[in-house]
C-alpha cells in the first residue's frame, strides 16, 4: 500500500483521449479519512461482533464531528468471497448504513491483491511465475495472475458484485479501483535474484497476441528480434540479455505498461456495468517519473493509467519512515505537479492516500507528523488542482510491519492535535465546495517532456545512472517551481500526436531514445513557431534500440542546425558562455560557466544553417547553440544541465532556465517578491475560478514572511480579496493592469485568497 518509490518506464499507447467522461458525478469534493469499521488495518476487515455497531457509530460520529465529509472504506476479495460465488459484504452494509445515519458520504477502495485461498487451490496454473520458472505460492498476497481468464472473470465479477451493494445506498460517492498498481503487489519475492513477472502461460499468450498486432508476421518479428522463430508458440518474453539486440526487451516492457492500462480499463468497465454515474479513480504509489521498467513487479506510466479513469491519483507519504527518507520540498511538489499533469485533460486529480501520522516500517520510524505538515500537504495539493483528499488512516496500523504507524488518532481511540487540525481543513473545503471544484490551475506555457523510453537504452543489462531521467526533469522543474512559474509535465506522446497548442516552449531533458513520430511532431512544433530546448544526444537511439547515423538522430539535425562532433563522458561538465547578448544569457556575463553532467557533447554547425553559438566546451568547440527553423527556434545543449542542477545548484544555470521565458516570449501570470529562493521557499500558486482567481500562499519557510504578489489582470478596477480560511474581506485597487497583493504569513502557514472583481458582485 505505502510502497517506497520504485524506479520506471514507458509505452507507446496513446496519451490522447483523456477527456472528461460524460455523465459522471464530479460535483463533490471528498475530504475523507480511511476507516473500515474497527481497528483492522487495510486491506484487512474487522470481524463483526455484537458491539460493532455501537463502536463504529462512535468512530463515524467523531469523524463527522471533526469536520470530514466522507469516510474512505475498503472491501477485500479474500474476506468478501470466502468461497466461489458466496459473497459476504456484511462489513460494507453496516458501515454504509451507519455512515448514512451520521451524515457521511462513503468512498470505496477495492482490494484484490490478497486473493481468497480457493483461487490458488482451484487454479494452480494461474499462479504468478518468475523468469526462472518458479511459481509463487500465495500467502493471501499476491494472489494469481489476472491474464488467466478464470482469474480475471472472478476478479471482475467481484468488482461488479461490490457495485451492486454500493449503489443501493444514497450516501455512496465513488470508487478507487486499484491501490498502487503493479503486476504483483504486497509480496517480496527476494529469494529469486532480479525477479521479473509474469512468465505464466497466459501472460506469454497475451504477449504473443500483442506482438502479432505490432509485427503482423513471424518474418517481421524475426527481423526485429534477430531470431529464427518458425511458430508463434516459440515466442516468449526475454529472460536475459544478449549483446546482439534488445528490441525484445523494449517490446516486453512496453507490453507490460499497455497491459496494466488495459487491466485498469477492465476494472473500470466491470464497475460501469452496474454503476453508470459514480466517480471512478485509482491511485499510484508515487509519480511514475520515479519508476523504472527494470523493476520486475511491473511499473506504470501515470499518463497512461489515467486514461480509462475519471481521475487518477497518488499516495503521498512525505515522512514515510526513516527520517533520512523524508521528502524534500522539491519531491513533494514534483509528485503533485506530475500527477496533476498526467490528469491535465481530466480537469483534476486525487490524493488517494495522505500520510496521517508517523510512519513505521519494522524498526524504522519517521519523525512525527504535525498539524503544520497536514496544512502544507493538503493545501499544496488543492493549490495544484486536487479534487479529493483522502487521509490514510483514521486508526494507526494494528498489525504487520507498519504496526503503530500512519494513524490520524491514537490506537486507543483518543484524539490528536493533528486530527483536530486536519478536520478544520476539511471543514474549510466543505464550506467552499463549488469554489475548489471549479478552480483550474493557471495554464502553463512551458512543457517539460516526460519520455520514459530513455530508460530503455542498453536494455536489460543496463544498471547505470538509474535516476538520470528523474533528476534531469526535476532539475528544470525545481527552478521554475522556486520562481513560482507555472509549468506542466507533458508526455512524449503529446509531441507524437502534435497536441502542443497550449505551449510556447517545450524542454526535452535526457532525450537519448526518441521515436520517428516524435521527431516529426517536434519538427512541426518548431516550424509553426514553437521554441524547443533539447539536451545532449537527442535521438541517439530509436525505439528499437538502434543507433542513429547522425546525432541529433532521426533526421533532427537540421532542426538544431548541428551534428554531434565529439562526445566525452564526465561527471561534471562546464561550458563557457560566449554570447551574452542572446536572450537566454541576459544577466550572465561572458566567460561564466554553465554546468552539466554525464556527457560533454561538442557540435559541428551545418552549412547554411541559421545557428548561433552561445557557449563552448573546454576545448573551445560549440556546445550550446540556438537555430532559427521555420517560424520557431530550437536550442541544443550538449550536456544534461537539468541533472547537474538537481545535484548542485548553480545560479547561472538557474538564470539560464528562467531566461528561457524571455527567449520564448512567455509572459508570466504573476510575479512575487519571494521568487527564486532555493531554501525557505514561499510557494505561490494561482488558479482561475468562475468569477476571478484563487491565490494560494504556502510558507515552507521556518520564518514569518512578508510577500508581495503582482497579479497581471486584463483590466483595472477594485477587487475584493476574501480570505477563504478565516472568512475576512478587504478591497484592493489595481493599476497598470496589475493587482498588488501584500501578505504577512507565519511559518508553515497557508493563505487562500479569492480575488473577485467588485463589479461582478
Amino acid at each position: 500500500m505505502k510502497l517506497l518509490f520504485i524506479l520506471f518506464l514507458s509505452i507507446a499507447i496513446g496519451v490522447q483521449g483523456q477527456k472528461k467522461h460524460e455523465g459522471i458525478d464530479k460535483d463533490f469534493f471528498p475530504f475523507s479519512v480511511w476507516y473500515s469499521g474497527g481497528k483492522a488495518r487495510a486491506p484487512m476487515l474487522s470481524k463483526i461482533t455484537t458491539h460493532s455497531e455501537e463502536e463504529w457509530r462512535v468512530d463515524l460520529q467523531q469523524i463527522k464531528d471533526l469536520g470530514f465529509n466522507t469516510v474512505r472504506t475498503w472491501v477485500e476479495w479474500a474476506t468478501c468471497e470466502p468461497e466461489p460465488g458466496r459473497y459476504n459484504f456484511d462489513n460494507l452494509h453496516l458501515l454504509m448504513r451507519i455512515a448514512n445515519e451520521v451524515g457521511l458520504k462513503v468512498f470505496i477502495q477495492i482490494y484484490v491483491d490478497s486473493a481468497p485461498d480457493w483461487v490458488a487451490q482451484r487454479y494452480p496454473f494461474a499462479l504468478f511465475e518468475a523468469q526462472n520458472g518458479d511459481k509463487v505460492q500465495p500467502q493471501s498476497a499476491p494472489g494469481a495472475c489476472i491474464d488467466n481468464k478464470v482469474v480475471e472473470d472472478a476478479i471482475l465479477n467481484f468488482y461488479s458484485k461490490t457495485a451492486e451493494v454500493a449503489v443501493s445506498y444514497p450516501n455512496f460517492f465513488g470508487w478507487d479501483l486499484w491501490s498502487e498498481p503493479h503486476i504483483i503487489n504486497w509480496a517480496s519475492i527476494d529469494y529469486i535474484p532480479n525477479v521479473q513477472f509474469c512468465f505464466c502461460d497466459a501472460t506469454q499468450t497475451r504477449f504473443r497476441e500483442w506482438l502479432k498486432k505490432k509485427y503482423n508476421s513471424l518474418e517481421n518479428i524475426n527481423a526485429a528480434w534477430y531470431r529464427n522463430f518458425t511458430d508463434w508458440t516459440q515466442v516468449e518474453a526475454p529472460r536475459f540479455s544478449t549483446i546482439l539486440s534488445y528490441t525484445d526487451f523494449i517490446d516486453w516492457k512496453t507490453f507490460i505498461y499497455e497491459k496494466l492500462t488495459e487491466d485498469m480499463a477492465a476494472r473500470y468497465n466491470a464497475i460501469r456495468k452496474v454503476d453508470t454515474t459514480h466517480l471512478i479513480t485509482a491511485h499510484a504509489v508515487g509519480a511514475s517519473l520515479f519508476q523504472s521498467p527494470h523493476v520486475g513487479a511491473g511499473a506504470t506510466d501515470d499518463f497512461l493509467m489515467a486514461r480509462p479513469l475519471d481521475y487518477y491519483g497518488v499516495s503521498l507519504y512525505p515522512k514515510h519512515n526513516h527520517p533520512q527518507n523524508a521528502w524534500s520540498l522539491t519531491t513533494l511538489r514534483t509528485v503533485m505537479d506530475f500527477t496533476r499533469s498526467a490528469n491535465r485533460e481530466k480537469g483534476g486529480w486525487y490524493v488517494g492516500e495522505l500520510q496521517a501520522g508517523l510512519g513505521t516500517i519494522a524498526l524504522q520510524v519517521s519523525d512525527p507528523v504535525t498539524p503544520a505538515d497536514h496544512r502544507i500537504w493538503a493545501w499544496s495539493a488543492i493549490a495544484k488542482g486536487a479534487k479529493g483528499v483522502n487521509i490514510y488512516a483514521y486508526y494507526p496500523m494494528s498489525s504487520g510491519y507498519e504496526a503503530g504507524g500512519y494513524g490520524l488518532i491514537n490506537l486507543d481511540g483518543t484524539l490528536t492535535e493533528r486530527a483536530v487540525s486536519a478536520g478544520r481543513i476539511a471543514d474549510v473545503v466543505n464550506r467552499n465546495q463549488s469554489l475548489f471544484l471549479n478552480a483550474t490551475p493557471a495554464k502553463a506555457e512551458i512543457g517539460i517532456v516526460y519520455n520514459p523510453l530513455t530508460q530503455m537504452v542498453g536494455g536489460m543489462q543496463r544498471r547505470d545512472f538509474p535516476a538520470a531521467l528523474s533528476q534531469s526533469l526535476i532539475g528544470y522543474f525545481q527552478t521554475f517551481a522556486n520562481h513560482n512559474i507555472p509549468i506542466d509535465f507533458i508526455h512524449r506522446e503529446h509531441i507524437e500526436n502534435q497536441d502542443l497548442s497550449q505551449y510556447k516552449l517545450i524542454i526535452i531533458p535526457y532525450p537519448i531514445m526518441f521515436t520517428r513520430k516524435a521527431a516529426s511532431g517536434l519538427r512541426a512544433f518548431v516550424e509553426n513557431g514553437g521554441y524547443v530546448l533539447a539536451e545532449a544526444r537527442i535521438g541517439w537511439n530509436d525505439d528499437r534500440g538502434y543507433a542513429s547515423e547522425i546525432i541529433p538522430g532521426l533526421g533532427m539535425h537540421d532542426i538544431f542546425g548541428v551534428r554531434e562532433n565529439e562526445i566525452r563522458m564526465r561527471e561534471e561538465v562546464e561550458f563557457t558562455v560566449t554570447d551574452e547578448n542572446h536572450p537566454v544569457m541576459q544577466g550572465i556575463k561572458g566567460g561564466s560557466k554553465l554546468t552539466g553532467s554525464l556527457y560533454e557533447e561538442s557540435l559541428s554547425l551545418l552549412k547554411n544553417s541559421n545557428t548561433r553559438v552561445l557557449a563552448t566546451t573546454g576545448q573551445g568547440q560549440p556546445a550550446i547553440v540556438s537555430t532559427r527553423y521555420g517560424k520557431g527556434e530550437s536550442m541544443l545543449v550538449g550536456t544534461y544541465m537539468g541533472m547537474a542542477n538537481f545535484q548542485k545548484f548553480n545560479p547561472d544555470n538557474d538564470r539560464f532556465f528562467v531566461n528561457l521565458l524571455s527567449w520564448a516570449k512567455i509572459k508570466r501570470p504573476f510575479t512575487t517578491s519571494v521568487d527564486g529562493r532555493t531554501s525557505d521557499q514561499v510557494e505561490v500558486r494561482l488558479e482561475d475560478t468562475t468569477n476571478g482567481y484563487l491565490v494560494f500562499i504556502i510558507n515552507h519557510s521556518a520564518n514569518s514572511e512578508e510577500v508581495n504578489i503582482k497579479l497581471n489582470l486584463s483590466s483595472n478596477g477594485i477587487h475584493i480579496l476574501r480570505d477563504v480560511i478565516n472568512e475576512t474581506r478587504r478591497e484592493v485597487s489595481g493599476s497598470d493592469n496589475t493587482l498588488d497583493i501584500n501578505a504577512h504569513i507565519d511559518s508553515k502557514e497557508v493563505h487562500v485568497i479569492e480575488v473577485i472583481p467588485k463589479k461582478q458582485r
Side-chain angles (χ1 to χ4, degrees):
M1 175 175 300
K2 295 167 292 299
L3 302 174
L4 288 172
F5 278 167
I6 46 189
L7 296 165
F8 166 86
L9 190 141
S10 141
I11 172 173
I13 189 172
V15 171
Q16 307 312 305
Q18 295 184 357
K19 298 178 180 177
K20 294 181 181 179
H21 293 163
E22 299 297 328
I24 305 305
D25 184 1
K26 289 188 172 183
D27 62 356
F28 181 74
F29 191 120
F31 202 110
S32 83
V33 64
W34 285 62
Y35 174 80
S36 70
K39 299 180 181 180
R41 63 149 300 151
M44 301 163 73
L45 292 168
S46 298
K47 183 177 178 59
I48 294 178
T49 70
T50 56
H51 301 290
S52 293
E53 180 164 353
E54 178 184 356
E55 293 169 353
W56 296 15
R57 188 181 300 277
V58 170
D59 286 340
L60 290 168
Q61 186 63 58
Q62 186 164 265
I63 290 169
K64 173 71 173 177
D65 291 343
L66 283 168
F68 296 98
N69 58 27
T70 305
V71 61
R72 172 109 165 207
T73 195
W74 58 87
V75 295
E76 183 210 23
W77 189 23
T79 299
C80 295
E81 192 181 359
E83 298 175 11
R86 183 173 72 83
Y87 297 95
N88 174 15
F89 291 112
D90 290 350
N91 290 62
L92 182 58
H93 279 294
L94 180 58
L95 185 131
M96 295 290 298
R97 177 171 61 81
I98 301 174
N100 188 46
E101 291 170 3
V102 303
L104 288 168
K105 290 185 180 289
V106 177
F107 199 95
I108 298 177
Q109 176 76 55
I110 300 184
Y111 288 115
V112 295
D113 299 283
S114 52
D117 289 337
W118 58 262
V119 174
Q121 295 165 4
R122 179 175 283 202
Y123 311 122
F125 58 87
L127 297 179
F128 287 107
E129 183 175 329
Q131 77 272 31
N132 68 347
D134 281 1
K135 292 276 191 178
V136 178
Q137 298 295 328
Q139 299 165 188
S140 185
C145 181
I146 198 172
D147 293 336
N148 294 269
K149 191 174 186 310
V150 289
V151 176
E152 180 187 38
D153 287 348
I155 287 175
L156 298 183
N157 193 59
F158 178 69
Y159 276 81
S160 297
K161 291 295 184 182
T162 306
E164 291 175 5
V165 175
V167 297
S168 67
Y169 288 89
N171 60 324
F172 172 61
F173 172 67
W175 301 95
D176 189 303
L177 303 182
W178 202 345
S179 173
E180 302 174 354
H182 297 92
I183 292 174
I184 185 170
N185 256 359
W186 304 345
S188 299
I189 317 300
D190 50 11
Y191 57 86
I192 302 174
N194 189 33
V195 65
Q196 303 285 316
F197 292 104
C198 180
F199 286 81
C200 73
D201 290 342
T203 300
Q204 295 307 304
T205 297
R206 186 171 172 182
F207 182 42
R208 291 184 197 107
E209 293 303 312
W210 184 90
L211 291 168
K212 288 177 183 178
K213 291 179 181 178
K214 177 174 181 177
Y215 289 108
N216 298 314
S217 70
L218 280 171
E219 181 181 8
N220 289 337
I221 194 173
N222 280 333
W225 285 22
Y226 197 69
R227 303 291 288 277
N228 297 286
F229 300 122
T230 58
D231 191 276
W232 278 104
T233 58
Q234 299 168 352
V235 181
E236 64 172 25
R239 299 172 189 263
F240 55 88
S241 63
T242 71
I243 197 173
L244 305 174
S245 168
Y246 60 90
T247 307
D248 54 355
F249 170 80
I250 297 173
D251 283 338
W252 171 233
K253 293 301 183 178
T254 300
F255 158 77
I256 287 174
Y257 300 125
E258 293 195 14
K259 169 192 129 52
L260 287 167
T261 304
E262 291 168 359
D263 290 346
M264 182 73 81
R267 298 178 189 217
Y268 185 94
N269 292 333
I271 294 291
R272 284 286 175 248
K273 284 171 55 179
V274 177
D275 180 356
T276 59
T277 61
H278 292 96
L279 190 77
I280 300 180
T281 72
H283 67 279
V285 64
S288 61
L289 174 61
F290 295 93
Q291 298 183 22
S292 162
H294 298 279
V295 173
T300 53
D301 180 330
D302 292 346
F303 285 84
L304 304 179
M305 296 298 276
R307 285 179 48 209
L309 300 165
D310 303 322
Y311 292 131
Y312 195 46
V314 70
S315 293
L316 299 175
Y317 288 88
K319 290 184 172 180
H320 192 283
N321 51 83
H322 196 291
Q324 293 180 355
N325 295 331
W327 293 4
S328 67
L329 172 58
T330 292
T331 299
L332 179 72
R333 294 194 290 199
T334 300
V335 172
M336 290 183 177
D337 267 315
F338 193 90
T339 306
R340 173 190 60 79
S341 297
N343 285 271
R344 177 167 58 95
E345 291 90 344
K346 303 285 184 182
W349 58 284
Y350 263 38
V351 180
E353 302 178 35
L354 179 66
Q355 184 172 354
L358 67 83
T360 60
I361 290 187
L363 298 182
Q364 297 186 40
V365 179
S366 78
D367 285 344
V369 172
T370 67
D373 290 329
H374 281 154
R375 203 159 44 239
I376 294 291
W377 300 343
W379 285 119
S380 291
I382 296 168
K384 297 169 183 62
K387 304 303 180 188
V389 175
N390 301 275
I391 296 180
Y392 187 92
Y394 193 54
Y395 280 105
M397 304 298 94
S398 57
S399 65
Y401 64 76
E402 295 172 327
Y406 309 104
L408 188 63
I409 67 171
N410 296 316
L411 197 53
D412 66 358
T414 54
L415 288 178
T416 63
E417 182 184 358
R418 66 181 176 276
V420 174
S421 177
R424 292 195 189 107
I425 300 171
D427 183 61
V428 174
V429 171
N430 211 33
R431 288 187 278 109
N432 295 274
Q433 284 270 328
S434 180
L435 178 64
F436 293 123
L437 284 170
N438 295 315
T440 305
K443 188 170 288 188
E445 295 182 319
I446 304 171
I448 301 177
V449 178
Y450 169 59
N451 176 24
L453 271 176
T454 59
Q455 293 172 298
M456 296 282 196
V457 173
M460 192 182 299
Q461 65 187 26
R462 177 191 163 184
R463 292 290 181 272
D464 46 1
F465 310 108
L469 174 64
S470 60
Q471 289 184 6
S472 293
L473 271 68
I474 294 170
Y476 286 96
F477 168 79
Q478 68 181 354
T479 279
F480 296 124
N482 287 341
H483 284 269
N484 294 304
I485 297 170
I487 69 97
D488 287 340
F489 292 98
I490 61 175
H491 201 283
R492 181 199 70 253
E493 293 186 0
H494 287 111
I495 304 177
E496 293 175 344
N497 294 303
Q498 300 187 30
D499 180 25
L500 299 169
S501 60
Q502 176 176 320
Y503 304 103
K504 293 181 179 178
L505 168 67
I506 60 173
I507 299 171
I508 315 178
Y510 193 68
I512 57 177
M513 182 178 282
F514 221 56
T515 68
R516 294 189 181 279
K517 191 175 180 181
S520 177
L522 187 64
R523 182 181 301 277
F525 176 72
V526 181
E527 282 181 333
N528 292 324
Y531 287 74
V532 59
L533 179 149
E535 291 192 320
R537 314 217 87 194
I538 182 170
W540 170 18
N541 288 263
D542 65 16
D543 54 345
R544 304 168 300 155
Y546 282 54
S548 294
E549 294 180 358
I550 298 174
I551 299 175
L554 304 172
M556 291 185 288
H557 53 285
D558 63 331
I559 301 174
F560 296 98
V562 294
R563 64 178 294 166
E564 182 178 276
N565 177 37
E566 293 180 333
I567 189 77
R568 291 177 169 83
M569 193 170 185
R570 299 288 187 272
E571 288 187 9
E572 296 182 359
V573 175
E574 288 188 342
F575 289 160
T576 303
V577 174
T578 57
D579 185 348
E580 57 188 289
N581 295 316
H582 190 279
V584 297
M585 298 301 184
Q586 295 299 309
I588 305 175
K589 295 181 180 180
S592 296
K593 304 295 184 182
L594 299 177
T595 53
S597 185
L598 190 59
Y599 292 140
E600 180 188 77
E601 180 186 44
S602 64
L603 308 167
S604 296
L605 277 57
L606 301 181
K607 292 182 180 179
N608 303 318
S609 66
N610 186 10
T611 303
R612 189 169 169 179
V613 178
L614 310 182
T616 58
T617 67
Q619 294 76 38
Q621 297 174 320
I624 301 178
V625 299
S626 68
T627 302
R628 296 292 306 174
Y629 185 83
K631 298 178 182 179
E633 192 165 341
S634 68
M635 184 175 298
L636 188 64
V637 176
T639 188
Y640 300 134
M641 288 182 69
M643 186 188 302
N645 204 51
F646 176 89
Q647 296 167 348
K648 183 179 180 181
F649 176 76
N650 177 349
D652 286 332
N653 279 26
D654 191 74
R655 183 177 292 273
F656 176 89
F657 293 166
V658 174
N659 283 346
L660 291 169
L661 276 72
S662 297
W663 176 58
K665 302 176 178 60
I666 293 172
K667 294 183 178 179
R668 297 177 57 176
F670 66 92
T671 58
T672 88
S673 59
V674 290
D675 290 344
R677 293 187 180 184
T678 58
S679 62
D680 286 331
Q681 293 98 325
V682 179
E683 182 176 9
V684 178
R685 300 292 292 224
L686 179 68
E687 294 189 338
D688 297 319
T689 67
T690 304
N691 297 321
Y693 306 95
L694 263 181
V695 176
F696 296 81
I697 308 173
I698 304 169
N699 186 6
H700 301 282
S701 168
N703 309 305
S704 295
E705 300 285 353
E706 302 292 334
V707 183
N708 172 258
I709 302 166
K710 293 187 179 297
L711 178 62
N712 293 323
L713 304 172
S714 57
S715 62
N716 294 319
I718 298 175
H719 287 71
I720 297 172
L721 306 186
R722 180 174 77 96
D723 184 324
V724 175
I725 295 176
N726 298 309
E727 288 293 356
T728 60
R729 297 171 185 265
R730 60 190 173 99
E731 294 184 358
V732 178
S733 295
S735 61
D736 298 326
N737 291 343
T738 301
L739 189 70
D740 279 300
I741 301 174
N742 296 296
H744 173 88
I745 184 168
D746 291 334
S747 173
K748 308 301 180 184
E749 287 291 343
V750 176
H751 290 178
V752 182
I753 304 169
E754 184 181 14
V755 181
I756 313 167
K758 188 172 183 180
K759 63 182 179 180
Q760 293 188 17
R761 292 191 55 80

